[in-house]
């Protein structure tokens, strides 16, 4: 696993533990590995280092790669050169090394950020006018093409999901546009007011992390012959705006108050779809989400308050 210390890594490890022994999992990241359990073998890896990546794949006899290392939307706009380098060159390194060394299967997440302002806003299908405007979206969109390229050129089994905003009470996100949702619930659980950096009516597709992880493994385990797409599968459980989320939180924390002070992330949010057509994932590999917004908020608040 690359990028193991990020928002998704720790949660995906819980899912992988259901399938593999911790002795068989190698976690890597450029930093933050001290946060991860010592049950796993840990290796410091900058995915831009092709030689080291190849050395690890060979020496550890890596069969599967979960390539999570990525610079997300908001941080990517602060440092576009870094986002290009990590997201494009790092991802190309993983694909080229996997193809060359015969890795059995690679999972690379994509994002709703691959869509741009001209795309259909509601029930957006997989194949739709894209033209992303953030460096994150541009690099992830290109990564989807690279996945198709290595599938056709080298028969590399590479799969991916376009994650919507992911909510978790375990790892606070720090670099994306959808992060407000997690932050809002954390504030509510602590009895604090919240100032939101998106407008009250900025609707985005979202999903609870356990659902995202279960579906990641569902796609990972699906027979290759059923997959009509490589990295492009849309998934989301529901869509909401900051105003709607605040209202739903008030069922559990009635005194919760939110102020709105939109910043540059509002423009990113406006360029993304409000809701996605997820029917291709349902058809090809059985995509389904368990948690409603209400169940997610209840679970997050009760765990945060513990
Ligand atoms: C972000 O906001 O950048 C991410 C994403 C939607 O991919 N959470």
């Amino acid at each position: 696993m690359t990028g193991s210390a990020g928002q998704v890594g720790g949660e995906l490890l819980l899912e992988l533990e259901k399938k593999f022994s911790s002795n068989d999992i190698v976690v890597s990241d450029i930093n933050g590995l001290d946060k991860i359990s010592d049950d796993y073998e840990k290796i410091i890896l900058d995915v831009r280092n092709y030689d080291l990546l190849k050395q690890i794949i060979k020496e550890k006899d890596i069969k599967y790669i979960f390539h999570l290392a990525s610079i997300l939307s908001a941080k990517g706009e602060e440092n576009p050169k870094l986002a290009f380098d990590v997201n494009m060159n790092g991802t190309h390194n993983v694909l080229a090394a996997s193809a060359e060394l015969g890795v059995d299967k690679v999972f690379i997440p994509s994002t709703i950020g691959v869509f741009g302002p001209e795309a259909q806003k509601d029930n957006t299908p997989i194949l739709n006018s894209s033209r992303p405007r953030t460096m994150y979206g541009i690099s992830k969109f290109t990564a989807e093409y690279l996945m198709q390229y290595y599938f056709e050129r080298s028969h590399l089994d590479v799969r991916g999901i376009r994650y919507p905003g992911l909510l978790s009470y375990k790892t606070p996100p720090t670099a994306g546009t959808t992060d407000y949702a997690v932050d809002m619930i954390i504030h509510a659980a602590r009895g604090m007011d919240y100032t939101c950096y998106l407008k009250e009516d900025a609707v985005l597709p979202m999903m609870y992390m356990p659902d995202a992880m279960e579906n990641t493994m569902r796609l990972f385990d699906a027979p290759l012959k059923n997959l009509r797409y490589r990295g492009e599968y849309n998934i989301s459980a529901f869509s909401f705006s900051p105003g709607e989320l605040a209202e739903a939180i008030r069922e559990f924390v009635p005194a919760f108050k939110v102020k709105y002070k939109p910043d540059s992330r509002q423009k990113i949010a406006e360029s993304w779809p409000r809701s996605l057509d997820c029917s291709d994932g349902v058809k090809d590999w059985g995509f389904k989400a368990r948690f409603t917004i209400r169940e997610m908020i209840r679970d997050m608040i009760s765990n945060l308050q513990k």
Side-chain angles (χ1 to χ4, degrees), residues 7 71-75 110-114 136 140 162-166 173 175-179 197 204-205 268 272:
Q7 189 198 359
I71 305 291
L72 299 191
S73 57
K75 190 164 171 206
S110 190
T111 167
I112 54 169
V114 296
Y136 175 56
K140 284 290 187 180
R162 289 175 180 156
Y163 286 142
L166 298 181
T177 302
T178 57
D179 298 2
Y197 57 77
L204 289 169
I268 301 178
W272 290 352

